Amino acid sequence: MWGGRFSEATDSFVAAFTASVGFDQRFAKQDIQGSIAHATMLGKCGILTQQEVDTIISGLHQVQQEIDAGEFNWSITLEDVHMNVESRLTDIIGTVGKKLHTGRSRNDQVATDIRLWLRQEVDNIVELLVKLQSGLLTLAEQHTDTIMPGFTHLQTAQPVSFGHHVLAWFEMLNRDTERLIDARRRINQMPLGSAALAGTTFPIDRTITAELLGFEGICENSLDAVSDRDFAIEFTSAASILMMHLSRMSEEIILWMSAQFGFVQIPDRFCTGSSIMPQKKNPDVPELVRGKAARVFGQLITLLTLMKNQPLAYNKDNQEDKEPLFDCVDTLTGSLLAFVDMLPNIVPNKENMRAATMKGYATATDLADYLVRRGVAFRDAHEVVGNAVALGIKQGVDLSELKLEQLQQFSDAIGDDVFDYLTLEGSLAARDHLGGTAPNQVIQAVARGRKRLEKYNSNLK
C-alpha cells in the first residue's frame, strides 16, 4: 500500500510484528459501516458519482456477507482490518474500490471504528447493569425485614435488614450506570474527516457522515481527533470502578458463604467442589470476579501508560490500545453476565443472620439514643452503655437479656420501656427516614429504584 515510497519490501518479521489484523478484525462491521457512510457523503458532496457510490456500497455489503459467513480470507500482509476490507472490495468491484479512501486516512478511520464499537458495547453493558439492578430490587423487596448484622471494621455494628444491604449494592451499580451513560456522550463524537492529522483538501461535509453514523457530535480539532484515546481511558476507568464494586460484593458473598458466617447460599451452578475434600462448595464465580477486577485495573494502567508520553498527532503506539480495551470489555461483560443470574438468586439464612446479630451487642447505639431522648448527654450515655455492654459480656448475655435493675444501676434514666428499643425489630423500625434501614424505608427505596430503571430502559429503547 506504500510501495511507491520504499525501495525494498517490508521484512516478514516486521510485517507480522506491526500487523494488527489478528485483533482489529473485530472492528470489521464498524469499519464497513463507516465506509458506507463515508462513501455516501462523498457522493452527496460531488466527490464521487452516484454510480460509484452505489457500486462501492454494494461491494461493501458483499464483503460483510463474506465475513459473516466465515468465508473472508484475512491476510497479515495487508496489516489491518481497513486494508483487508478495502483490498477485497477492490477485488470485487475493480478500480472504483480504490476511490473509497478519498478524503480520509486510516488514522481517522480507526478512531471512528473504535468509537462505533465501544458505543455499542457500552449500550450492551448498561443493559446488563439495568437487568442486574432490577434483580437486586426484587431481592431487596423480598427481604425488607430479614435482619442481619451491619458491620464496620468487619465487627458487628448495628442491625440492618438484608434488603437494605442489597440496596447498598444497587446504589453502587446505579452510579456505575450513570458513569457509563455519561461517558457514552464523549465516546459518541465523530473523528472521521480529520484524515491523517490536518483534515482534507476535498470539500467534504462531516455533518452528513455524523448523522448517518448516529454520532452526537463531531471532533472539532483534527490533530486531537486522530490521537485522542481519552474516551477509551474514561470507559476503562468506569469499568474499573464497576469491577471494584463487583469485587466488594464478591468478597461479602465469599465471607457470608463460609461456615464461620453461614449467612447465604448461592446456586450450585456458580460453585465447584474440591478434588480431595468431598464436603466443599467453593464460591468460584465470586472469587474469579474478585480476581478479574485486578485484570481490568491493569488494562486501565496500560492505556494510561500508553498515552502518557505521546506527542500529537497519531503514533503507531496507538495500535496497542485495542487489546487492553477488548479485554476490559470482555472481562466486564462476562462478570456482569454471571452476576445477573447469581446475585438475584442469593438465598439468605435468616436464622444464622439473626443469631449473629444477637452476638455483637448491635443495639448498643439504640440504648444510647434512648438515654439521650431521656435527657442524658450523649457522651454520658455512651459511657453508660459501655458499662452495660461490659456487664453483658461478663455474663454472656445480650443487652436485651439483662434485667431492668441491672441496667438501672448504670443510669436512673432507664425505664421499663427500654426493652422496646433493644429488640432487633425495634432497632430497625426506629431508623425510619430517607436512607434508613427501616422496612418501610426499604420498600420506598425499592419503588424509587424502579423509577430510576424505567428512565434507563426508555433510553435503551
Side-chain angles (χ1 to χ4, degrees), residues 9 14 47-48 71 78 121 189 247 304 319 402:
V14 173
I47 300 168
L48 295 181
E71 299 169 354
L78 292 170
E121 294 301 323
Q189 305 293 312
S247 183
L304 285 169
Q319 182 171 297
L402 290 171

Side-chain angles (χ1 to χ4, degrees), residues 125-137:
I125 290 166
V126 168
E127 187 173 356
L128 285 173
L129 270 170
V130 170
K131 188 174 180 180
L132 175 54
Q133 287 175 269
S134 179
L136 290 179
L137 290 177

Side-chain angles (χ1 to χ4, degrees), residues 135-272:
L136 290 179
L137 290 177
T138 299
L139 182 64
E141 190 173 42
Q142 293 168 350
H143 295 284
T144 58
D145 55 2
T146 298
I147 296 173
M148 67 174 293
F151 298 96
T152 61
H153 309 279
L154 206 55
Q155 304 295 311
T156 299
Q158 294 176 345
V160 297
S161 79
F162 181 61
H164 190 61
H165 194 111
V166 169
L167 287 178
W169 293 349
F170 173 87
E171 291 296 330
M172 294 179 188
L173 297 177
N174 195 65
R175 292 193 296 273
D176 293 318
T177 304
E178 290 177 346
R179 262 187 288 272
L180 286 166
I181 290 172
D182 190 53
R184 189 190 190 280
R185 293 189 299 106
R186 284 175 288 282
I187 293 168
N188 201 27
Q189 305 293 312
M190 190 188 76
L192 199 60
S194 300
L197 78 160
T200 178
T201 59
F202 293 96
I204 62 172
D205 187 340
R206 298 178 72 198
T207 60
I208 294 174
T209 324
E211 184 176 348
L212 288 170
L213 293 173
F215 282 109
E216 295 176 52
I218 297 171
C219 299
E220 295 198 8
N221 183 281
S222 58
L223 286 164
D224 178 62
V226 298
S227 60
D228 167 42
R229 294 298 183 269
D230 290 4
F231 64 92
I233 294 171
E234 183 177 3
F235 165 79
T236 312
S237 174
S240 295
I241 296 171
L242 172 48
M243 285 299 295
M244 177 268 291
H245 288 151
L246 296 185
S247 183
R248 292 182 69 186
M249 296 174 202
S250 295
E251 176 70 6
E252 291 189 315
I253 292 167
I254 293 162
L255 286 172
W256 292 351
M257 282 185 65
S258 68
Q260 289 69 27
F261 278 79
F263 282 5
V264 302
Q265 287 295 333
I266 60 175
D268 287 353
R269 62 184 176 274
F270 298 103
C271 303
T272 63

Side-chain angles (χ1 to χ4, degrees), residues 361-377:
Y361 300 94
T363 58
T365 305
D366 296 272
L367 179 54
D369 290 346
Y370 168 87
L371 289 168
V372 169
R373 285 192 292 270
R374 290 297 189 97
V376 179

Side-chain angles (χ1 to χ4, degrees), residues 298-311:
Q299 306 301 8
L300 172 59
I301 298 302
T302 296
L303 290 174
L304 285 169
T305 308
L306 175 69
M307 296 303 300
K308 76 176 183 64
N309 59 350
Q310 285 197 38

Side-chain angles (χ1 to χ4, degrees), residues 39 48-62 89 92-97:
L48 295 181
T49 67
Q50 190 57 49
Q51 183 178 355
E52 289 172 329
V53 172
D54 292 342
T55 301
I56 288 171
I57 292 176
S58 176
L60 286 169
H61 283 311
Q62 182 174 331
L89 173 67
I92 295 169
I93 65 174
T95 304
V96 67

Side-chain angles (χ1 to χ4, degrees), residues 354-415:
R354 185 180 184 89
T357 312
M358 292 293 293
K359 289 179 182 177
Y361 300 94
T363 58
T365 305
D366 296 272
L367 179 54
D369 290 346
Y370 168 87
L371 289 168
V372 169
R373 285 192 292 270
R374 290 297 189 97
V376 179
F378 182 80
R379 286 300 168 201
D380 293 334
H382 191 284
E383 182 178 358
V384 167
V385 176
N387 290 327
V389 168
L391 177 61
I393 292 171
K394 183 178 180 180
Q395 297 194 357
V397 297
D398 184 66
L399 288 176
S400 62
E401 296 172 317
L402 290 171
K403 293 181 173 57
L404 178 61
E405 55 269 23
Q406 289 177 306
L407 291 170
Q408 288 178 330
Q409 68 178 302
F410 303 116
S411 174
D412 56 11
I414 296 175

